[in-house]
Amino acid sequence: MHKLTGALLAAGSAALIAGAALAGMPDYIDGWTREEMAILASLSLKQLPPAPKDPSNAYEALPAAVHLGERIFADRRFSSNGAVSCASCHQPDKHFQDGAPLGLGVGTGSRRTMPVVAADHSPFLFWDGRKDSLWSQALGPLEDPAEHGGNRLAYAHLMQAHYRKDYEAIFGAMPDLRHFPKHASPAGTPLHKTTWNTMPESARHDVSRIFANMGKALAAYQKTLQHGESRLDRYVEGVVSGDQPSLQILSPEEKHGLRIFIGKGNCITCHNGPLLTDQHFHNTGVPQRHEKTPDMGRYAAIDKVMNDEFNCLGRYSDAKPELCEELNFIAAADHTTKAAFKTPGLRNVASRPPYMHAGQLASLEDVVRHYANAPASAAGHSELKPINLSEQEVRDVIAFLHTLSSPIVQRQ
């Protein structure tokens, strides 16, 4: 099935479900038809179901794991220079992102920091989907030389030195690490790799088990981070209920921008549902930072997630193989996945410049004009078609996007 066709069907299904709640309503409310009201209702945060349980993480619902994960999230000792934590890039006061074009850890990354709020609804993580769970995603930056830059064995020693009691209360007894080297990793420096390869397989497994459990605690914490209600949600509730005062929550310009978003602009094709994302990967002709070495996005990530030792089918997963449906039925890399990147959710989008997978576009105006102009892709083929938007329509779409701002809430 073509990706856009699938996205449209998903949007249509969501609207159909939401539309069931509109039975008995007038044909028009605030200028919206019944069909349009069904689409609006599908965008409401109230339509967001609970995130699916992750069968590969048996600890994600434990309050003790949430508490441990929150402490690790803010602990800068888990980095090669002792100055970088998960919260360095996923900053709570910036909607759990950093506002930088490229992630800044112990070095400079190659892509924009993605928000982690409501990421538990996504089957694949990161811009290219190279991870298949929150806990596996949390491990990637820890060993990335440009992010935390640390190594697996050093992290295990830190866990034993500072979090042993809390760790063992959740995951059981830690192995004795006193006779292990201080630094080693299969993904570190040449010296770290050499040291790792000299360790017995059972020792490497023990260390990797601690590392995997760090990720599971981090995922338990991240799963509590959710979006609060926005002005759009309150307006949609007013439309659905027919509450006249609530219909004044959005300005005429914002309502016009919303109308373009779900109609002429075709934004709803990919930015649909309560999180305003189809959770799929698309080539939208976003400029490459390095045209001679283009970022191939999803195309290059499928092998990575299938061969990841920390995926749902791996030895550190808590899932039975038949429950790993995303990996068991993953689509193969083909021309449609070249330079394709994940559709980001749009909640709080106005607070998160710059935009795109490597911060290539500085403002919402740049983004709207990019989609209207639909430039050709430097790698692969863009799915976009040009859209004729007037200057006022561009401003109104931007005004609508500001209605998606809301506080971040921590679900207990």
Side-chain angles (χ1 to χ4, degrees):
M1 180 186 295
H2 190 279
K3 290 181 294 184
L4 276 177
T5 303
L8 282 167
L9 287 173
S13 298
L16 187 63
I17 294 170
L22 299 174
M25 294 294 292
D27 289 338
Y28 291 92
I29 294 180
D30 207 22
W32 302 105
T33 66
R34 292 178 63 82
E35 290 76 13
E36 290 169 336
M37 285 189 276
I39 294 173
L40 297 189
S42 73
L43 301 179
S44 171
L45 202 57
K46 288 187 174 180
Q47 294 295 326
L48 184 66
K53 293 181 180 178
D54 178 3
S56 70
N57 184 357
Y59 309 93
E60 64 173 359
L62 298 180
V66 173
H67 180 59
L68 176 60
E70 185 170 10
R71 294 168 64 198
I72 297 173
F73 191 85
D75 193 334
R76 297 187 178 198
R77 290 174 294 198
F78 291 102
S79 62
S80 61
N81 63 2
V84 177
S85 71
C86 304
S88 298
C89 291
H90 300 287
Q91 300 172 21
D93 62 343
K94 292 184 178 178
H95 301 285
F96 288 85
Q97 54 89 53
D98 57 7
L102 301 175
L104 298 173
V106 298
T108 301
S110 59
R111 292 185 183 145
R112 174 95 168 85
T113 299
M114 290 199 84
V116 295
V117 178
D120 51 348
H121 288 267
S122 177
F124 291 105
L125 286 300
F126 290 126
W127 286 102
D128 56 5
R130 65 183 182 276
K131 291 288 189 176
D132 69 335
S133 69
L134 268 184
W135 67 270
S136 183
Q137 170 272 328
L139 300 177
L142 289 167
E143 291 191 310
D144 188 299
E147 298 186 59
H148 293 243
N151 65 86
R152 198 171 299 182
L153 186 50
Y155 294 144
H157 282 300
L158 281 169
M159 288 298 297
Q160 193 157 78
H162 302 285
Y163 295 100
R164 182 166 191 162
K165 182 179 179 181
D166 296 314
Y167 176 98
E168 292 187 339
I170 303 165
F171 302 109
M174 276 186 161
D176 185 354
L177 302 178
R178 287 176 297 175
H179 303 295
F180 287 16
K182 289 186 177 179
H183 302 278
S185 171
T189 65
L191 178 59
H192 292 163
K193 291 179 182 177
T194 299
T195 306
W196 181 261
N197 290 331
T198 62
M199 293 169 58
E201 196 283 334
S202 60
R204 295 198 299 265
H205 172 63
D206 286 344
V207 173
S208 294
R209 173 66 69 186
I210 295 173
F211 187 56
N213 287 339
M214 283 179 61
K216 292 177 182 180
L218 284 165
Y221 166 60
Q222 292 178 37
K223 197 156 186 170
T224 67
L225 304 175
Q226 300 296 324
H227 292 288
E229 190 179 57
S230 70
R231 283 203 295 133
L232 174 69
D233 297 308
R234 294 195 290 274
Y235 173 73
V236 169
E237 187 173 354
V239 171
V240 173
S241 66
D243 179 56
Q244 289 298 319
S246 297
L247 302 182
Q248 308 306 313
I249 290 175
L250 300 192
S251 70
E253 292 77 15
E254 291 165 340
K255 293 176 188 176
H256 187 223
L258 173 56
R259 188 173 296 283
I260 296 169
F261 187 90
I262 69 170
K264 174 182 179 181
N266 295 323
C267 315
I268 194 76
T269 302
C270 297
H271 293 287
N272 52 56
L275 296 177
L276 295 111
T277 170
D278 61 0
Q279 307 286 7
H280 287 285
F281 302 87
H282 301 279
N283 183 329
T284 57
V286 176
Q288 292 278 346
R289 278 196 170 269
H290 307 288
E291 291 199 5
K292 291 184 178 178
T293 54
D295 187 337
M296 298 304 286
R298 184 60 173 164
Y299 185 81
I302 293 174
D303 278 349
K304 293 179 182 177
V305 69
M306 291 303 298
N307 293 308
D308 187 349
E309 65 178 315
F310 298 115
N311 70 20
C312 185
L313 293 168
R315 66 190 302 192
Y316 303 104
S317 167
D318 301 319
K320 295 179 179 177
E322 61 269 26
L323 296 178
C324 300
E325 295 179 352
E326 297 295 344
L327 291 186
N328 291 331
F329 298 99
I330 193 170
D334 62 15
H335 69 282
T336 67
T337 61
K338 288 184 177 179
F341 295 90
K342 188 174 180 180
T343 306
L346 295 186
R347 290 190 173 270
N348 284 312
V349 67
S351 303
R352 301 200 313 258
Y355 301 100
M356 306 307 182
H357 64 273
Q360 297 98 321
L361 303 180
S363 67
L364 285 178
E365 180 177 348
D366 292 341
V367 173
V368 175
R369 293 191 187 283
H370 170 82
Y371 282 105
N373 295 331
S377 179
H381 298 282
S382 172
E383 301 174 31
L384 299 185
K385 302 293 183 185
I387 304 167
N388 184 23
L389 294 181
S390 69
E391 291 300 310
Q392 185 60 53
E393 287 174 326
V394 170
R395 288 193 292 272
D396 290 349
V397 172
I398 295 170
F400 159 66
L401 293 173
H402 279 80
T403 71
L404 298 169
S405 298
S406 69
I408 304 301
V409 297
Q410 186 170 9
R411 184 182 57 216
Q412 300 301 318

